[in-house]
Amino acid sequence: MVLVAKRLEAGQFRWPAIRDGVIRLTPAQLSALVEGLDWTRVRGVRVPRPTSAG
């Protein structure tokens, strides 16, 4: 469990939906949320798995 407190100068946090009593965020989304950014705009980038140079 993590408790984070942050005072916003203006505006408000945009919280994700709560499902089954849980908010799920990726580490990047949590970082954006704490920084006061729009976490909904954070997307993961899929990196293809390297193949052997066999």
Side-chain angles (χ1 to χ4, degrees):
M1 174 180 263
V2 176
L3 175 64
V4 177
K6 183 168 175 104
R7 189 178 113 212
L8 297 176
E9 297 297 325
Q12 60 188 11
F13 281 121
R14 183 172 176 173
W15 288 100
I18 299 173
R19 293 190 182 105
D20 298 325
V22 177
I23 295 175
R24 290 182 174 83
L25 293 171
T26 66
Q29 290 171 329
L30 176 61
S31 179
L33 180 67
V34 170
E35 291 298 321
L37 303 173
D38 184 0
W39 64 270
T40 61
R41 303 181 98 194
V42 175
R43 299 282 183 253
V45 177
R46 289 206 175 258
V47 177
R49 183 174 290 219
T51 58
S52 63

